[in-house]
């Protein structure tokens, strides 16, 4: 590899976001461990285009690395649907244990046949419902609500199963749509709920924790194949070592957002019985978990949940 050649990496999140900072930390580790021979130059804030666009570029080797949400990968690799299944993870600790362990390794490896090397998972928080009308304590509280979702068949199916109407739209449209009554609510984590100012229009935040899908850092397989065996090990280890760094930043950010929003008057509530929500998800799982490999991996992850 040419001396001093930095890996080029894209990230849709802004400069200060924990995933961007984690990739920078990975770059620092690479620089330190290779005497400046390897490093990372990251283009944050969507400078290089949407996640779907940059993912395609990475697949063809035009970008060395990319930090993306799992959603764009769902269409090309069925195994990546699994971490997005509603109520698969019983807690953040369960999610982290599964993704740090054998199930996570298998998910990362599933990308190889698509021209990508999965390096590590980063947290994306617990997604919860928020709306303009009332606290959600039971699924019936959602009946007829218009809820914004990502452009994902899985998310649409989940909302429909809960008795609400799913409205796919980009994140940038959510605030105005809440204000204008185009939608009644949405779902996301505390930091996104705050940074998008959605709490100003939708002050009811219900702690469903229905999805804990992670984000993922991938590398172009063609770039990976040009590395020596030692450099591959160094890159993979630096990626893994950036994960606890990211999680510490993420946990701090969640705590800060929660504290600020509760002080601003957001009404947060626990649901009466999470099992009422979980029971409605079985048809959704049946629709999206169809192969034997998917079913096996889901069972492995569930078994790791224990009493979490």
């Amino acid at each position: 590899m040419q001396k001093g050649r930095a890996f080029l990496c894209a990230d849709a999140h802004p400069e200060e976001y924990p995933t961007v900072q984690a990739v920078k930390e990975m770059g620092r580790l690479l620089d330190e461990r290779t005497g400046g021979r390897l490093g990372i130059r990251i283009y944050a804030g969507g400078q290089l285009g949407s996640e779907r666009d940059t993912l395609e570029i990475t697949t063809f080797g035009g970008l060395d690395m990319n930090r993306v949400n799992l959603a764009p990968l769902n269409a090309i690799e069925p195994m990546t649907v699994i971490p997005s299944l509603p109520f698969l993870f019983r807690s953040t600790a369960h999610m982290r244990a599964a993704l740090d362990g054998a199930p996570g390794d298998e998910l990362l490896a599933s990308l190889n046949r698509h021209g990508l090397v999965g390096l590590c998972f980063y947290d994306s928080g617990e997604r919860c419902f928020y709306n303009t009308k009332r606290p959600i304590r039971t699924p019936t509280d959602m009946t007829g609500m218009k809820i914004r979702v990502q452009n994902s068949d899985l998310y649409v199916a989940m909302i429909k199963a809960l008795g609400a109407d799913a409205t796919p739209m980009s994140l940038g449209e959510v605030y105005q749509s809440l204000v204008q009554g185009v939608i009644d609510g949405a779902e996301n984590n505390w930091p996104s709920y705050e940074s998008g100012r959605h709490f100003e229009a939708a002050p009811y935040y219900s702690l469903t924790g229905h999805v804990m899908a992670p984000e993922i850092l991938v590398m172009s397989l063609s770039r990976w194949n040009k590395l020596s065996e030692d450099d591959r090990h160094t890159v993979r280890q630096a990626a893994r070592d950036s994960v606890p760094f990211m999680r510490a930043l993420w946990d701090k950010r969640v705590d800060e957002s929660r504290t600020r929003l509760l002080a601003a008057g957001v009404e947060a509530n626990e649901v009466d019985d999470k099992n009422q929500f979980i029971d409605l998800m079985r048809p959704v799982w049946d629709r999206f978990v169809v192969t034997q490999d998917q079913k096996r991996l889901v069972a492995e992850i569930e078994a790791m949940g224990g009493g979490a």
Side-chain angles (χ1 to χ4, degrees):
M1 181 168 183
Q2 185 181 352
K3 186 173 177 61
R5 162 74 158 83
F7 297 121
L8 302 183
C9 182
D11 195 315
H13 289 312
E15 189 76 22
E16 74 281 1
Y17 201 80
T19 57
V20 177
Q21 294 304 310
V23 173
K24 286 186 174 183
E25 171 67 4
M26 178 185 170
R28 186 191 69 77
L29 293 173
L30 284 176
D31 181 77
E32 180 182 272
R33 294 170 183 178
T34 65
R37 190 168 51 81
L38 298 181
I40 298 173
R41 182 184 303 158
I42 186 165
Y43 292 87
Q47 292 179 62
L48 301 183
S50 71
E51 287 189 345
R52 287 184 184 277
D53 291 340
T54 58
L55 192 59
E56 186 173 1
I57 294 169
T58 307
T59 300
F60 291 117
L63 262 175
D64 300 317
M65 296 170 62
N66 205 348
R67 197 290 314 152
V68 294
N69 190 276
L70 275 183
L73 291 164
N74 292 170
I76 63 171
E77 176 47 57
M79 296 295 276
T80 64
V81 172
I82 291 171
S84 300
L85 289 172
F87 300 105
L88 171 66
F89 300 117
R90 295 308 177 109
S91 66
T92 297
H94 178 202
M95 178 268 292
R96 290 174 174 174
L99 296 179
D100 289 347
D105 289 342
E106 183 172 347
L107 288 166
L108 293 173
S110 72
L111 298 177
N112 284 18
R113 55 182 169 267
H114 305 289
L116 297 167
V117 175
L119 294 177
C120 65
F121 292 105
Y122 292 140
D123 283 29
S124 191
E126 297 186 17
R127 300 179 77 92
C128 297
F129 291 110
Y130 51 90
N131 75 95
T132 61
K133 294 181 176 297
R134 57 184 171 268
I136 294 169
R137 301 187 186 281
T138 69
T140 55
D141 291 325
M142 298 183 65
T143 302
M145 276 192 188
K146 297 188 291 292
I147 303 292
R148 176 266 172 179
V149 294
Q150 300 177 75
N151 192 6
S152 158
D153 291 343
L154 176 63
Y155 277 76
V156 169
M158 174 182 68
I159 297 301
K160 287 182 177 178
L162 291 170
D165 297 325
T167 305
M169 68 171 61
S170 70
L171 188 61
E173 297 177 71
V174 174
Y175 178 79
Q176 201 63 31
S177 296
L178 287 167
V179 170
Q180 295 176 347
V182 175
I183 56 175
D184 300 311
E187 49 85 56
N188 220 314
N189 53 56
W190 280 107
S192 295
Y193 178 50
E194 179 192 28
S195 62
R197 295 168 44 225
H198 300 170
F199 69 96
E200 295 175 4
Y204 301 105
Y205 193 86
S206 302
L207 301 169
T208 49
H210 50 275
V211 170
M212 299 182 201
E215 315 217 352
I216 188 170
L217 181 65
V218 298
M219 187 169 188
S220 164
L221 181 60
S222 63
R223 194 80 188 103
W224 177 263
N225 286 338
K226 294 173 184 174
L227 298 177
S228 68
E229 198 62 42
D230 283 348
D231 281 349
R232 290 178 192 175
H233 175 77
T234 302
V235 168
R236 196 177 288 282
Q237 192 58 50
R240 290 185 181 276
D241 290 345
S242 73
V243 173
F245 178 87
M246 186 275 171
R247 287 174 178 170
L249 289 178
W250 179 257
D251 290 346
K252 182 173 182 286
R253 183 165 177 146
V254 169
D255 287 344
E256 291 172 347
S257 292
R258 182 193 298 113
T259 299
R260 282 193 292 263
L261 291 174
L262 292 177
V266 163
E267 192 174 318
N269 69 279
E270 299 282 354
V271 297
D272 290 349
D273 180 3
K274 195 171 282 192
N275 286 325
Q276 292 181 357
F277 293 83
I278 293 171
D279 290 345
L280 293 172
M281 292 303 106
R282 183 50 56 188
V284 178
W285 283 34
D286 290 344
R287 176 178 165 188
F288 290 92
V289 181
V290 292
T291 71
Q292 289 306 311
D293 281 342
Q294 284 179 313
K295 292 174 182 177
R296 173 185 50 76
L297 194 59
V298 166
E300 288 178 20
I301 293 173
E302 284 191 297
M304 295 176 75

